[in-house]
Amino acid sequence: MYDILTNIFGNQIVAYIIGAALPLFVWILPFVLFAVLGERKVSAHMQDRLGPMRVGYHGILQTVADLLKLLQKEDIVTPAADRKLFNLAPYIVFLGSYAAFAAIPFSSIYIGSGIEVGIFYILAVSSFVVVGILMGGWASDNKYSLLGAMRSAAQIVSYEIPTAIVVLTLVMLTGTLNLNTISQQQTAYFWNWNILGGAAGSGITQILLIPFMVIAFVILFISTLAEVNRTPFDIPEAESELVAGFHTEYSGMKFAMFFLSEYANMFAVSAIVVTLFFGGYQSPFGYLGNSLGIPWLIPVEQLFWFLAKGVFFVFVQMWLRWTLPRLRVDQLMTVCWKYLIPYAVFNLLIVGIISLL
Amino acid sequence: MKKYLKNTWDGIWTVLIGMKVTFKHLFVPAVTIQYPDVKLPLPERARNRLYVNIDDCIGCLQCERACPVDCIHIDTVKGLPTDDLGTTSNGKKKALWVTKFEIDIAKCCYCSLCVYPCPTECIYMTDVYEFSEYKRQDLIYNFSTLTPNEVEQKKINYEKFMAEKAAAKAKAAAEKAAAAKAKPPVDPNKNNQKSE
Ligand code: SF4
Ligand code: SF4
């Protein structure tokens, strides 16, 4: 991918900078605009309402208008806040969620960085978000912010464990940490996807693996949901208890930054789930480009399938958000430590035994 | 252990049930009414803006007295016997010019108490509820149809009439007094003395 860009721009550094900024401007920003509206529409229709209707046809331009409004807002820093940390926090949070996109394979030719430890890297940098949230909560000098930040830290740190165990299960099965390789292994048709046993196993083991892969998928989905602070795990910003949690004191562009990273994160974790379990960028039914004999169509199709699957899981996240009430703090910890982790560990053992067969 | 597994199962199962419910609602038509574009019809006499059919008002001030917040202000001037004020729609003859009929709708609490006592049923509530204004002054509604000039005229007419009447009365009294002087009454005491 970088070779193509280098050829176009004639300079490696420029090519790398553009390559790095590509997902941000080509995908994340439009996606966030779309997803915020989508969330409002989904929530509205689930509650038999209509949602935004007045800006553009059925409110399509609502988020654009909101963004313009946020851009014009006064940037307030409360006098008691710790200025440096306060100003830095939203960017760190965004950095954490954006850095994860570097190792996500959007298509066989587009992957920001094809590093061998892709999934490990993503797990590592997404913990960066905690630092930003804690910073924001602490620097705001507001008890609600601090409480929200503390909760968020506790939550993200705990839920990283089941995530890591499930990822370990997958790594054991596929034998690689490289997300691109994992995607390639699940090629061709959907019965090669990891959720259906993956292409690695053969015959009987593949069938035996299915229930355990489903369990692994559910655990991963729940714990990543918790990691991005989405309902039912949104206690860090529980508006009925903590005003807006760690971003209570933020306004204008900095608030938008938190918003942006929340939605970017939603897509990032969906992308991880898709890559690990649902074939990544692989089409479920084979490629049009193959049957028509147009090779350049394949990466485009892959991109389409990847984004479609990712957006579907983002939709599931929204769906869950508008279905479930928020968990209590102790329930949150119970779900993680008493349920997810034991299940994840047993799953790891059983998958290990099956793959030895 | 059994309870633990059951808890897990319950957790997952109930979430799925909830998701099914919300998913169904995605396709239920919305109940939202696109307010400024679409409006729900209200009953004709819903408790909103007051209206006074001034043609029927006889100026009896009953509504003014009934109002708990005193937001109705009525002034009336008596009509001359020669004036034809017309009749109300239920056949009553009008005797007073309603020179001022103001309702300060900003103060009105929509209690509808002014509506009941009206003998001619000419003050009533309507289904109009969009009447916000930028200035509070604009919320004082004047229902009287008489122009200030006419009002002055009515007042002057009435005063003139009263003055004439008073003059006539005074004249009559004076005439009576003069007549009495010309022919003094018989002193009753005299008669009394005579009979003794
Ligand atoms: S509705 Fe009530 S408050 Fe309003 S004018 Fe009539 S009596 Fe007064
Ligand atoms: S009660 Fe009716 S008739 Fe009497 S003054 Fe009020 S509006 Fe006029």
Side-chain angles (χ1 to χ4, degrees):
Chain A
M1 194 247 338
Y2 288 115
D3 300 339
I4 305 171
L5 285 175
T6 315
N7 277 341
I8 296 172
F9 299 105
N11 183 333
Q12 242 182 349
I13 297 170
V14 175
Y16 273 67
I17 290 172
I18 288 174
L22 216 53
L24 178 61
F25 292 104
V26 174
W27 175 243
I28 298 181
L29 285 182
F31 165 77
V32 169
L33 286 183
F34 158 81
V36 173
L37 178 72
E39 170 119 51
R40 293 170 70 177
K41 280 287 183 190
V42 166
S43 72
H45 284 283
M46 280 182 177
Q47 297 166 351
D48 296 352
R49 295 182 287 114
L50 284 173
M53 287 291 282
R54 305 207 68 88
V55 189
Y57 175 74
H58 276 240
I60 296 184
L61 298 175
Q62 182 66 49
T63 22
V64 179
D66 286 347
L67 184 73
L68 289 179
K69 187 199 77 174
L70 278 174
L71 280 173
Q72 297 167 18
K73 286 257 165 164
E74 187 189 348
D75 183 23
I76 300 167
V77 181
T78 49
D82 185 335
R83 256 196 122 78
K84 271 186 212 133
L85 293 184
F86 186 85
N87 289 337
L88 200 57
Y91 303 102
I92 290 193
V93 171
F94 181 70
L95 189 78
S97 50
Y98 186 54
F101 280 82
I104 290 175
F106 279 89
S107 158
S108 55
I109 61 157
Y110 186 83
I111 171 163
S113 158
I115 41 174
E116 283 307 318
V117 289
I119 183 69
F120 179 64
Y121 162 79
I122 289 179
L123 285 185
V125 292
S126 57
S127 322
F128 221 59
V129 174
V130 192
V131 179
I133 288 177
L134 261 179
M135 249 163 115
W138 172 258
S140 299
D141 200 35
N142 173 327
K143 58 185 174 229
Y144 297 119
S145 303
L146 187 57
L147 269 175
M150 297 310 281
R151 285 180 179 191
S152 175
Q155 174 178 332
I156 295 179
V157 168
S158 328
Y159 277 86
E160 238 153 41
I161 298 167
T163 315
I165 296 175
V166 172
V167 167
L168 201 60
T169 318
L170 259 289
V171 168
M172 205 168 65
L173 198 69
T174 55
T176 175
L177 283 164
N178 188 331
L179 286 173
N180 204 13
T181 317
I182 294 179
S183 303
Q184 273 161 10
Q185 283 174 352
Q186 309 177 59
T187 186
Y189 296 94
F190 61 87
W191 52 81
N192 282 335
W193 290 358
N194 281 338
I195 186 103
L196 297 177
S202 58
I204 188 81
T205 43
Q206 193 179 351
I207 289 164
L208 270 178
L209 272 175
I210 292 175
F212 300 102
M213 286 328 248
V214 172
I215 292 174
F217 157 68
V218 171
I219 295 172
L220 183 68
F221 190 74
I222 295 175
S223 50
T224 50
L225 201 61
E227 275 194 62
V228 295
N229 297 334
R230 296 280 303 173
T231 335
F233 306 104
D234 67 339
I235 57 158
E237 41 194 289
E239 52 265 40
S240 47
E241 310 158 29
L242 295 183
V243 194
F246 57 87
H247 53 56
T248 306
E249 297 289 357
Y250 285 90
S251 64
M253 246 359 250
K254 289 191 204 128
F255 174 74
M257 222 57 194
F258 276 122
F259 224 65
L260 189 67
S261 52
E262 178 183 342
Y263 281 84
N265 247 333
M266 274 166 74
F267 186 78
V269 298
S270 304
I272 294 167
V273 169
V274 166
T275 315
L276 291 184
F277 287 101
F278 292 89
Y281 50 71
Q282 305 287 1
S283 151
F285 324 107
Y287 293 106
L288 214 61
N290 268 342
S291 37
L292 295 180
I294 318 169
W296 60 261
L297 202 62
I298 297 175
V300 179
E301 272 182 76
Q302 286 173 335
L303 185 66
F304 165 77
W305 281 113
F306 186 76
L307 298 185
K309 289 179 206 170
V311 168
F312 172 75
F313 280 101
V314 170
F315 168 73
V316 176
Q317 290 180 358
M318 292 176 183
W319 183 4
L320 270 169
R321 172 167 180 185
W322 298 103
T323 304
L324 298 176
R326 183 182 306 124
L327 289 176
R328 227 164 44 209
V329 183
D330 62 320
Q331 289 170 335
L332 185 90
M333 289 298 147
T334 310
V335 169
C336 178
W337 293 99
K338 287 194 182 161
Y339 288 87
L340 292 185
I341 292 178
Y343 276 112
V345 170
F346 274 106
N347 211 38
L348 175 70
L349 284 177
I350 294 169
V351 171
I353 292 166
I354 293 176
S355 54
L356 275 182
L357 288 176
Chain B
M1 191 63 202
K2 213 175 147 199
K3 187 154 177 277
Y4 180 82
L5 291 175
K6 193 176 176 312
N7 274 348
T8 316
W9 178 249
D10 278 353
I12 295 171
W13 188 241
T14 47
V15 166
L16 289 180
I17 289 175
M19 286 175 80
K20 193 178 132 208
V21 171
T22 41
F23 193 71
K24 267 191 197 153
H25 273 272
L26 263 185
F27 304 103
V28 172
V31 293
T32 310
I33 291 157
Q34 295 275 294
Y35 161 61
D37 304 333
V38 184
K39 289 176 193 164
L40 269 192
L42 281 176
E44 218 179 298
R45 295 288 153 89
R47 281 204 192 170
N48 292 302
R49 183 158 75 173
L50 276 169
Y51 180 73
V52 177
N53 180 5
I54 199 72
D55 290 340
D56 270 4
C57 176
I58 56 172
C60 67
L61 307 189
Q62 301 232 43
C63 52
E64 187 182 5
R65 272 181 233 127
C67 179
V69 294
D70 289 337
C71 62
I72 306 181
H73 299 286
I74 305 174
D75 277 348
T76 53
V77 172
K78 271 198 186 131
L80 307 186
T82 49
D83 284 348
D84 180 20
L85 287 100
T87 52
T88 65
S89 51
N90 57 5
K92 276 208 181 101
K93 246 187 128 49
K94 294 203 280 187
L96 300 169
W97 293 109
V98 180
T99 52
K100 180 176 145 197
F101 197 123
E102 277 180 6
I103 299 183
D104 188 350
I105 209 82
K107 285 200 230 156
C108 174
C109 64
Y110 310 102
C111 64
S112 197
L113 284 177
C114 54
V115 173
Y116 307 120
C118 179
T120 59
E121 287 172 10
C122 65
I123 182 165
Y124 51 80
M125 311 211 93
T126 58
D127 57 357
V128 182
Y129 50 88
E130 298 159 310
F131 51 92
S132 54
E133 297 281 358
Y134 285 101
K135 278 188 260 140
R136 212 180 286 180
Q137 199 57 32
D138 295 342
L139 280 171
I140 299 179
Y141 292 163
N142 186 11
F143 289 100
S144 174
T145 45
L146 299 175
T147 60
N149 271 344
E150 279 176 313
V151 169
E152 270 317 297
Q153 197 55 48
K154 302 292 176 215
K155 274 189 187 149
I156 290 167
N157 280 352
Y158 180 66
E159 267 156 27
K160 230 195 228 158
F161 171 72
M162 283 313 269
E164 270 168 22
K165 212 171 155 189
K169 216 176 174 180
K171 210 173 144 199
E175 269 168 19
K176 223 176 170 181
K181 225 181 204 167
K183 203 169 89 188
V186 191
D187 191 352
N189 290 339
K190 259 183 191 165
N191 291 349
N192 279 353
Q193 274 175 349
K194 254 181 193 167
S195 65
E196 266 173 25

